[in-house]
Amino acid sequence: MADKRVGIMGGTFDPIHLAHLRLAKCAYEQYDLKTVVFLPAGDPPHKTDHLVAPAYRRLEMLKLCIRDYPQFQISEYELEKQGYSYTAETLEYFTQVYPEMEFYFIIGADSLFELDSWYAPERCLAKATFLVGNRLGRSEEEIDRQIQYLTQRYGGIIEKVNMPGMEISSSDIRELLSKGQDASHYLHPAVNEYIKQNHLYYQGPVENLTMIVKKRLPAGRFLHTLGVVETAQNLASKYGADVDKAKVASLLHDIAKPLSVDELIAVCEKGGEPVTEEELAGVKVLHAKAGAIMARDEFHVADKEILDAIRYHTTGRPGMSLLEKIIFIADFIEPGRSKAPNLDRIRKEAGLDLNRCVCMIARDTLQYLRESGAHVDSRTEETYEYYKSITNLHL
Ligand SMILES: [Fe+2]
Ligand SMILES: [Fe+2]
């Protein structure tokens, strides 16, 4: 019997939380299901704000949440289908494609009380047994009455899933996160981490970053920063890097630039990374290290790749990540730059080969520093040697 019983759990999963997971587990155990298929809904057709995560993010979170449960799986059917999906049509599709299976559609008690207003409830109930989880705030009698009403009106079978009540909803979680508050009690740890890393639902400093950066930088520096943002985002989408991370890294890359030397030193010390002798000698590059520390401590950026992209945006380093290379290059070639001698060739190279482009920038930077008698940072030399050796570039 059990090998025919398939549970389906629909929803936007924005984000998936522990009550979803618990309901799926209880339904799986109590109804002897072969599997539970999570069926995330597609994006709504109207424009969404950033309090709603796009489909690919919701899917990533689902994957993270169920990866330890081999009895659960995901169907991307509604994500791939164009337009709004009605449950009736989705269930008819599944029963048509898998006629040998018995379907159990799993819903929370809140959906039980909305079912009346769904599109064609009788068609939904004809194709699957509905399993309803309880929730705090609804009495058993109320739920029983509603089940009786619905089955008398539309036919079909609705059964209850026993589970400890959990008063959580995705919208409550979004609300908490939007204020920068902790929602980790309600989320799988990997999902919680993913939300933090990608600044989902958050309306705090990072979402308002452009305005904050504008206030913090002198006008010319802010214009340069916007140029770096634009260039970095273009490079990120061209080379398959994370565009959102490129935006955060580029917006913050020069955040420490307006600080005096004493202030830069203080930032580094407070961040637990005192300034070295060499950094003091070549104080021009210190804003990159201080910027990474400020991004971490002041702007709560936890992503190491973003922090490293800020930290090495001036000197580069051997073996840079894709994002590091993008920020390093974008800083040099953004549209507002005009003085460097080989800018045209370097801009062209950025569209062809990032390693060669990094090599050319490091070479020109070294040449400029030597000619102007400025301190030459050993890391810029290492960057040049490394990228020269891996690209076989003889300039
Ligand atoms: Fe900089
Ligand atoms: Fe810059």
Side-chain angles (χ1 to χ4, degrees):
M1 276 300 279
D3 56 354
K4 283 181 164 187
R5 298 179 160 201
V6 173
I8 298 182
M9 202 155 145
T12 46
F13 303 113
D14 191 18
I16 177 134
H17 54 65
L18 295 182
H20 291 131
L21 199 58
R22 185 175 289 182
L23 177 56
K25 277 190 212 165
C26 291
Y28 174 80
E29 283 161 15
Q30 289 163 31
Y31 288 87
D32 205 11
L33 304 176
K34 171 187 159 73
T35 181
V36 174
V37 179
F38 286 79
L39 183 79
D43 282 330
H46 50 272
K47 182 102 177 76
T48 58
D49 60 36
H50 57 260
L51 272 186
V52 179
Y56 78 97
R57 297 280 194 204
R58 294 187 282 113
L59 182 61
E60 282 299 309
M61 291 189 279
L62 255 179
K63 286 180 182 167
L64 288 169
C65 191
I66 67 159
R67 67 182 172 189
D68 301 328
Y69 301 92
Q71 69 273 39
F72 296 159
Q73 49 185 306
I74 297 169
S75 164
E76 296 180 35
Y77 171 71
E78 289 193 350
L79 295 181
E80 284 162 3
K81 202 168 153 242
Q82 295 294 314
Y84 189 81
S85 298
Y86 291 106
T87 301
E89 291 173 354
T90 299
L91 286 175
E92 281 166 0
Y93 166 82
F94 275 96
T95 50
Q96 205 179 353
V97 177
Y98 305 101
E100 70 286 8
M101 295 298 181
E102 281 172 32
F103 289 100
Y104 291 78
F105 196 73
I106 305 166
I107 58 172
D110 47 347
S111 300
L112 185 74
F113 289 85
E114 289 161 5
L115 220 153
D116 218 9
S117 60
W118 285 17
Y119 169 69
E122 68 289 351
R123 280 168 57 192
C124 300
L125 283 155
K127 294 297 175 190
T129 299
F130 272 52
L131 301 180
V132 56
N134 61 347
R135 267 215 164 159
L136 295 175
R138 297 275 187 192
S139 71
E140 287 296 310
E141 295 72 42
E142 236 184 316
I143 290 178
D144 289 340
R145 253 201 320 273
Q146 181 70 1
I147 289 177
Q148 202 185 10
Y149 158 73
L150 289 168
T151 47
Q152 272 172 6
R153 180 158 185 199
Y154 300 111
I157 301 168
I158 304 176
E159 306 270 13
K160 288 192 289 186
V161 177
N162 290 318
M163 59 180 271
M166 253 179 144
E167 198 52 40
I168 311 173
S169 74
S170 293
S171 63
D172 293 341
I173 292 173
R174 292 197 301 271
E175 174 84 21
L176 279 175
L177 292 168
S178 72
K179 296 177 195 151
Q181 290 170 4
D182 181 46
S184 56
H185 290 331
Y186 309 125
L187 296 164
H188 185 288
V191 173
N192 188 49
E193 192 54 34
Y194 182 87
I195 289 172
K196 273 209 246 163
Q197 291 279 328
N198 295 289
H199 316 297
L200 302 186
Y201 313 115
Y202 189 35
Q203 287 184 314
V206 175
E207 287 301 330
N208 295 323
L209 210 52
T210 310
M211 290 320 294
I212 294 175
V213 171
K214 186 178 180 186
K215 282 187 198 141
R216 296 272 287 261
L217 297 180
R221 181 61 45 185
F222 180 64
L223 267 184
H224 157 71
T225 294
L226 290 183
V228 179
V229 171
E230 187 195 314
T231 310
Q233 285 190 307
N234 287 340
L235 289 173
S237 55
K238 179 176 167 59
Y239 289 100
D242 188 315
V243 176
D244 296 339
K245 285 192 190 185
K247 180 171 184 181
V248 175
S250 50
L251 267 173
L252 288 173
H253 85 284
D254 271 345
I255 193 70
K257 194 82 178 176
L259 271 53
S260 69
V261 175
D262 286 345
E263 287 169 329
L264 291 171
I265 293 170
V267 167
C268 294
E269 262 168 22
K270 199 171 156 222
E273 299 183 53
V275 174
T276 64
E277 287 292 316
E278 167 149 33
E279 284 167 343
L280 265 185
V283 89
K284 266 197 165 169
V285 303
L286 200 51
H287 76 279
K289 174 179 173 173
I293 292 170
M294 285 167 74
R296 183 192 68 199
D297 297 348
E298 207 179 315
F299 293 89
H300 311 292
V301 176
D303 188 293
K304 180 136 189 341
E305 214 191 346
I306 296 177
L307 297 175
D308 282 343
I310 298 170
R311 184 177 292 259
Y312 300 108
H313 83 263
T314 315
T315 58
R317 63 167 169 167
M320 284 191 275
S321 73
L322 177 58
L323 187 68
E324 286 175 48
K325 285 187 262 192
I326 286 172
I327 303 301
F328 178 83
I329 292 168
D331 189 31
F332 198 86
I333 66 168
E334 62 95 1
R337 298 275 200 201
S338 59
K339 291 196 186 108
N342 296 312
L343 213 42
D344 285 347
R345 281 182 56 208
I346 292 173
R347 281 189 175 129
K348 215 167 131 199
E349 197 60 51
L352 302 170
D353 185 322
L354 293 183
N355 289 337
R356 286 168 64 98
C357 189
V358 167
C359 186
M360 291 163 83
I361 292 171
R363 177 207 56 189
D364 283 14
T365 304
L366 286 172
Q367 197 174 346
Y368 167 78
L369 291 173
R370 288 189 181 119
E371 278 170 9
S372 61
H375 172 81
V376 176
D377 191 282
S378 63
R379 200 169 267 139
T380 310
E381 284 176 322
E382 289 165 18
T383 305
Y384 173 56
E385 292 303 331
Y386 176 88
Y387 283 93
K388 190 169 75 172
S389 72
I390 67 161
T391 56
N392 280 322
L393 193 62
H394 298 289
L395 301 160

